Each structure stands twice: as C-alpha cells, then as structure tokens.
Amino acid sequence: MAETFDIHAGLTRALHDRAEAWRFIAGFAAYWQQPLRPGDGCSPAEVEAAERRLGLRLPAALREAYLIFGRRGDLTGNHDTLLAPEELYVADGALVYRVENQGCAFWGVALEELDRDEPGTVMRTDLADASQERWEPWESSLTAACVEMVMSEVVLFDGGFCDYLEIEDREIAAVERLFRELPPVGRGMRWFLGEDVLIREFEGFCVYARARTEAALERLREVVPGDWLEG
C-alpha cells in the first residue's frame, strides 16, 4: 500500500456505510500496523458454532467483523478485548462482545436489536453498587463501534511509538490549534491527526498518542509540552 492514507475522508465514509468501514479498517491497519491478510479473520465455522451455543444469530455487522479481522489482536486486544466467538455471552439483556482490560466495563448489543444487520451498541460500567449498573447507549451502529475499537486499540499498541499525557486547558488548546480534528467516533472521545501522528483525546482529561516514527512522536512532545508518560 502507498505510504499515504486519507484517514479523514475514509473515516467520514466509514461512519455512514458498512462496506466503507471495512475498507477503512483495512487501510488503517495497513498504514498504522500491518495489512490484513488471509487468516486474520475467524472462520465461518467458529462464528456458526458460537451462534449454536448461544441460540441466536449474530448481527451481520458483528459477523463480518469477526470474519475480516477477528484474529487480529493488535487491532482488537491491546487494551480492551474483542471477545473471541467462543467467549461471547449474554448478560442482563445484552450480548456482550467486548470487555475492558480490568473487567471494569463491557460493550454489547441489546438482545432486542440482534435481528438488525446494523444494531446500536451499549456499554455498562462495573460499579461498587451493582444495583446501579445499567446498559447505556454507546455507538449508534455496531460498525461505528468496530471502527472506534480498531482506532483505539492501535493508539494503545504496546509495540508502537505511543505516549500518554494528562491535559489541562493549555495542552488541549495546543492540540486543537496544531492538529486536524477528525469526524467524531467513540463516546467522550475526540480524534486529531497530524503528520504521522494520531491523537485520541478522552473526556477533556488526557490524550493518547500514536506516531509512525520516533521522530514524529518527539515532535509531538515538543509542540504539546507536558509531563508525557514515556517522554
């Protein structure tokens, strides 16, 4: 693949069309990680076995995600984890497909939406008072949730040029001024793009950054000064 990837245009299309989303994920993976290859997806037999075990049929969007990149842990499991088909389970009215790395949050699809090819998604936080736990809306489409998952997991890739910064007004103002904001994906998240740098800002509290080269990461630290975790 050429050493350019128009993430802004691709993401814009991906958030409105499922086929475009899979094309975006393929291009994003090739540019920021490694290209998708045969064998990176789960087999149809694995998905069908999960459906028989659960007694339900997976939405088309989730089924396709598994078949295309379900085995790519670098896209689905650096921090939080896309459950393997054999690990899918039902809890409190939702099919759980992704879990936070310490079991503090869960992502799912409400059972009443499973008959839709493109259902919305929900998220539930593990609370000290379990009686207060509720499934809350996450992404309006499962495909958008998959796009956010892949982008987030790549930004949090242990083997890449990554860093983390807790931010205040000065730092976020620098990010907003110097980097291009991308179309919104992920509740509480904003995404920014620079030369060989991808930034995820989370709830006005912190930024996670991924660069394609060490030099690009050093440039980021210079233009957005602060107490970077790795810097």
Side-chain angles (χ1 to χ4, degrees):
M1 172 167 285
E3 285 297 302
T4 59
F5 175 62
D6 190 341
I7 185 173
H8 191 282
L11 182 57
T12 300
R13 294 190 297 269
L15 296 178
H16 295 92
D17 182 90
R18 191 160 78 245
E20 289 290 342
W22 306 146
R23 278 191 282 271
F24 171 82
I25 287 174
F28 185 87
Y31 193 72
W32 289 96
Q33 294 287 87
Q34 298 293 328
L36 293 176
R37 295 185 172 89
D40 283 350
C42 301
S43 70
E46 290 175 283
V47 175
E48 291 162 6
E51 291 176 327
R52 288 194 299 272
R53 175 177 60 83
L54 294 165
L56 51 80
R57 184 165 178 82
L58 302 187
L62 186 57
R63 168 182 280 265
E64 290 170 13
Y66 277 121
L67 295 177
I68 295 168
F69 57 89
R71 291 184 179 275
R72 280 289 295 270
D74 62 322
L75 304 178
T76 63
N78 292 312
H79 187 267
D80 306 323
T81 301
L82 174 68
L83 296 177
E86 64 269 20
E87 297 172 324
L88 291 167
Y89 65 96
V90 172
D92 299 317
L95 173 68
V96 179
Y97 69 87
R98 188 182 181 207
V99 297
E100 194 265 345
N101 70 329
Q102 294 181 323
C104 295
F106 310 85
W107 290 266
V109 177
L111 294 182
E112 60 265 26
E113 294 218 357
L114 288 180
D115 60 345
R116 296 176 53 196
D117 286 348
E118 189 65 88
T121 59
V122 291
M123 191 269 282
R124 183 170 183 156
T125 303
D126 185 31
L127 301 175
D129 182 358
S131 68
Q132 298 301 309
E133 294 178 9
R134 299 287 186 276
W135 288 111
E136 303 289 346
W138 180 248
E139 286 287 353
S140 60
S141 79
L142 181 53
T143 297
C146 288
V147 169
E148 177 275 315
M149 172 180 65
V150 168
M151 292 176 65
S152 292
E153 295 305 315
V154 165
V155 167
L156 296 166
F157 183 53
D158 287 340
F161 301 109
C162 300
D163 213 338
Y164 166 89
L165 175 68
E166 293 185 8
I167 55 174
E168 296 181 358
D169 291 346
R170 180 173 67 107
E171 289 87 1
I172 194 57
V175 171
E176 292 171 339
R177 183 177 69 256
L178 297 170
F179 299 91
R180 183 184 188 186
E181 188 164 0
L182 296 172
V185 59
R187 193 176 71 183
M189 303 176 195
R190 289 195 299 164
W191 295 86
F192 297 87
L193 183 69
E195 183 180 358
D196 287 337
V197 173
L198 180 63
I199 297 169
R200 187 184 81 167
E201 181 260 321
F202 185 65
E203 295 188 339
F205 168 72
C206 62
V207 295
Y208 298 85
R210 169 73 187 273
R212 296 186 73 229
T213 67
E214 186 173 2
L217 188 56
E218 287 297 335
R219 287 196 301 269
L220 171 64
R221 293 172 180 143
E222 291 172 3
V223 299
V224 184
D227 189 17
W228 289 93
L229 182 64
E230 302 296 335

